[in-house]
Amino acid sequence: MTTPTTRIWDPTIRLFHWLLVGFLAFSWWTAEHHEMERHRFSGYTILALLLFRVYWGFAGPRTARFSRFVRGPGAVVAYVRDLGSRKAHAADGHNPLGGWSVIAMLLAVGLMVTAGLFASDTDGIESGPLATYITFDQSETASAVHGFVFNIILGLVALHVLAIAFYLLWKQQNLVRPMLTGRRPAQDHETTADLQWSPVRALVGIICAAAIAWAVSRGFHFGAAPTY
Amino acid sequence: MTPSKTIALSVLGASATILALTATLATAASPAATAIATRHANFKKMGGAMKVLKDQLTSGTIAKPQAVAAARTLAAMGRVQPKLFPAGSGPSSGVKTDALPAIWTDRAAFDGKWKDYTTQADKLLAAANTGDAAPIGAQFKALGGTCGACHKQFRADK
């Protein structure tokens, strides 16, 4: 009685997704509680996640690739026109509109992390590792951007959750389960090929992303560790 | 001049005088507003001085003249700033400020925080004069602690 399924999300993309969810929440929590050491750590982790995701957009399996899921206006309009239909939409990965929401999310979180790296609190005590390269005024501006972009991220997260709820209620399609298991139900006579991914490529990306994030976290100062 | 014209003119003159007076009152900042603006500018200088020290500590190279100048600013502000919180210069003044009313209801504690700050700022100045990163770093942290302790109690959390 098992329904046939087809794999659309590779393990690293799922890990990326859920780690991003967790660390976004952790970043918010640590900021609220002024736990700046942990807040910075969370930001560096998100930076590594983003770097990996961009790399995976070129080196990953087909559903991870930008060239596959970033679609033109024609595809997006056709998809939106079909939204009202209660028929399940069997996308091989991101749907044409969802692809753009991925881009928006990556840009917003990227801007958030970048601003945070340069930000300084108004007291000049807590700051991102790259604040040393700019003036106090510029650092305070980065802080303001960092605070503002959080609202954009909240908006994108809300849209994302709404879309999932819409699919669940209107199209009776569960999008969360595939993000956990990697597989979605196959349609009748569907012949979508199984997803191929390379653990070696993934490992290379993870190591590079972590190394770059670490260098950034040190503000590119590789001498003795700060004395305080 | 007809009586009606005289009355009209005097009314006009009186209105102009009242208008001018109101305008003067509105533009001349109240003592509270002046105190708030001055202490804000000073806090900004303190933030800038802290960043100078922090940047040097992070990069691992101490530039003594700049470090000493920053520490001097910080020590001097410990003496100036407490006087810039006159009664009525809190949120009730209508001017934008993060100063909490607790400053004026618990003035002794507030002044005590400034004393802690100044003690540590003086030690930081002594450390800066050594030009050595280790004591400056330790004292930077100690001073930052007094900033945070006071902000926690007396500054609005944004």
Side-chain angles (χ1 to χ4, degrees), chain A:
Chain A
M1 274 299 286
T2 49
T3 46
T5 57
T6 179
R7 181 144 98 170
I8 54 168
W9 304 123
D10 73 84
T12 57
I13 220 81
R14 285 179 274 146
L15 199 61
F16 161 81
H17 176 271
W18 294 113
L19 284 176
L20 185 62
V21 173
F23 277 99
L24 280 182
F26 187 61
S27 282
W28 167 80
W29 187 88
T30 49
E32 284 293 299
H33 292 83
H34 304 292
E35 300 242 13
M36 298 318 285
E37 203 55 56
R38 287 154 136 196
H39 185 74
R40 276 186 290 266
F41 172 77
S42 189
Y44 305 146
T45 309
I46 292 174
L47 174 63
L49 287 171
L50 288 178
L51 290 170
F52 173 79
R53 183 63 189 88
V54 171
Y55 162 81
W56 213 228
F58 297 99
R62 64 169 192 272
T63 56
R65 295 208 176 199
F66 297 124
S67 59
R68 266 293 285 256
F69 71 75
V70 180
R71 308 287 302 276
V76 176
V77 168
Y79 166 79
V80 171
R81 283 219 175 110
D82 198 41
L83 261 185
S85 141
R86 303 207 63 156
K87 226 179 76 213
H89 180 274
D92 181 29
H94 299 293
N95 67 55
L97 190 58
W100 283 104
S101 109
V102 170
I103 299 298
M105 190 73 91
L106 288 177
L107 285 176
V109 178
L111 181 59
M112 186 76 176
V113 170
T114 308
L117 290 172
F118 287 98
S120 169
D121 67 354
T122 176
D123 309 321
I125 298 172
E126 298 288 356
S127 57
L130 304 184
T132 51
Y133 296 103
I134 58 175
T135 68
F136 185 49
D137 274 329
Q138 290 166 332
S139 256
E140 288 206 295
T141 307
S143 252
V145 172
H146 192 62
F148 173 75
V149 175
F150 180 61
N151 298 310
I152 296 178
I153 293 176
L154 280 185
L156 289 171
V157 168
L159 270 177
H160 182 63
V161 172
L162 269 176
I164 291 163
F166 169 79
Y167 260 83
L168 189 65
L169 300 173
W170 185 254
K171 290 177 178 279
Q172 321 243 294
Q173 208 174 338
N174 185 334
L175 299 186
V176 179
R177 198 183 300 127
M179 195 42 86
L180 289 165
T181 65
R183 311 189 75 91
R184 67 159 167 76
Q187 295 193 305
D188 293 344
H189 315 299
E190 186 173 347
T191 55
T192 311
D194 226 17
L195 205 63
Q196 302 293 324
W197 70 286
S198 155
V200 175
R201 279 187 176 187
L203 198 64
V204 168
I206 290 167
I207 290 170
C208 291
I212 296 171
W214 176 81
V216 170
S217 79
R218 297 293 307 266
F220 303 106
H221 296 295
F222 303 115
T227 44
Y228 61 99

Side-chain angles (χ1 to χ4, degrees), chain B residues 18-96:
Chain B
I18 289 166
L19 211 72
L21 267 174
T22 319
T24 315
L25 279 174
T27 44
S30 66
T34 311
I36 291 170
T38 314
R39 72 191 188 218
H40 277 188
N42 286 345
F43 275 127
K44 184 125 189 169
K45 277 183 210 153
M46 293 159 75
M50 288 297 273
K51 186 172 183 298
V52 166
L53 291 166
K54 173 144 195 182
D55 287 354
Q56 292 194 8
L57 290 166
T58 311
S59 67
T61 11
I62 300 297
K64 199 175 150 187
Q66 285 83 354
V68 170
R72 267 210 193 101
T73 302
L74 291 165
M77 288 306 164
R79 278 136 186 122
V80 175
Q81 288 290 74
K83 294 174 196 145
L84 289 167
F85 288 85
S89 68
S92 63
S93 67
V95 183
K96 193 175 161 288

